[in-house]
């Protein structure tokens, strides 16, 4: 019997997956515990509509990420820091400071975890930083670290 799973079941399948289950397993375990529904026409149409809605939502989020990447490529973020001689910075500029600078200067909220810094910036000057906005969408931001 074909059934549509309503939850992840270890060893059986994932949520919204269509599987073949034995009649007894489906009627005596999956249906009474509300873990699955029969894969009839009505339930298949509901599943398809749900999958379409999820895909539409993902497409919207990717489109927003592409717009954000384009917006970030035009921005020059200026971060003032205290520095000593020879252009050395006291401390460093971290992803947290970059995220805060974006929010205060341009009103753009970016999660600091999405900013990809191998290590903190410890020198003055221009640098290009990558921000992972979505799967396969990476925004490039120019950061100008200046002495106060």
């Amino acid at each position: 019997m074909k059934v549509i799973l309503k939850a992840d079941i270890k060893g059986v399948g994932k949520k919204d997956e269509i599987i073949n289950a034995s009649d007894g397993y489906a009627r005596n375990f999956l249906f009474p515990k509300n873990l699955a529904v029969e894969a009839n026409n009505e339930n298949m149409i509901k599943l398809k509509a749900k999958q379409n809605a999820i895909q539409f939502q993902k497409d919207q989020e990717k489109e927003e990420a592409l717009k954000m990447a384009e917006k970030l490529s035009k921005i020059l973020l200026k971060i003032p820091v205290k520095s000593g001689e020879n252009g050395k910075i006291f401390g460093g500029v971290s992803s947290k400071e970059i995220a805060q600078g974006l929010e205060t200067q341009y009103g753009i909220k970016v999660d600091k975890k999405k900013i990809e810094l191998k290590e903190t910036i410890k020198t003055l000057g221009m640098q290009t930083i990558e921000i992972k906005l979505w799967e396969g969408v990476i925004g490039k931001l120019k950061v100008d670290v200046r002495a106060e």
Side-chain angles (χ1 to χ4, degrees):
M1 167 185 295
K2 285 193 174 211
V3 295
I4 302 170
L5 296 177
K6 293 171 96 179
D8 290 350
I9 303 172
K10 190 174 183 180
V12 177
K14 299 226 180 257
K15 183 179 180 182
D16 294 333
E17 189 176 330
I18 301 168
I19 62 161
N20 276 323
S22 66
D23 291 352
Y25 182 62
R27 287 197 181 97
N28 296 323
F29 181 75
L30 295 176
F31 295 159
K33 292 193 182 250
N34 205 19
L35 295 173
V37 291
E38 188 176 352
N40 57 21
N41 280 343
E42 180 183 347
N43 290 332
M44 292 294 285
I45 290 170
K46 286 180 185 176
L47 177 65
K48 191 71 172 168
K50 183 177 177 183
Q51 289 173 340
N52 287 341
I54 291 170
Q55 186 61 43
F56 179 76
Q57 180 72 25
K58 283 184 178 180
D59 290 344
Q60 289 287 326
E61 289 173 3
K62 187 170 184 176
E63 197 172 302
E64 288 176 20
L66 288 169
K67 287 179 185 176
M68 179 69 79
E70 186 177 323
K71 194 174 184 181
L72 286 173
S73 68
K74 297 175 184 174
I75 290 177
L76 174 61
L77 182 65
K78 296 173 184 166
I79 299 179
V81 293
K82 292 182 180 179
S83 66
E85 295 179 26
N86 303 334
K88 289 279 188 178
I89 296 175
F90 298 126
V93 178
S94 65
S95 58
K96 180 180 178 183
E97 292 165 322
I98 293 169
Q100 287 174 344
L102 269 175
E103 190 170 351
T104 56
Q105 292 178 30
Y106 295 98
I108 298 172
K109 284 191 174 185
V110 175
D111 186 9
K112 68 179 182 178
K113 295 173 189 160
K114 294 183 178 185
I115 298 172
E116 295 185 358
L117 276 179
K118 293 175 183 77
E119 56 185 43
T120 58
I121 301 170
K122 296 184 180 183
T123 57
L124 297 175
M126 293 273 284
Q127 295 201 8
T128 303
I129 294 170
E130 293 184 347
I131 301 174
K132 189 173 183 182
L133 300 168
W134 185 256
E135 296 172 20
V137 179
I138 296 174
K140 295 192 184 280
L141 174 68
K142 292 178 186 161
V143 177
D144 187 12
V145 181
R146 294 183 174 182
E148 282 186 333

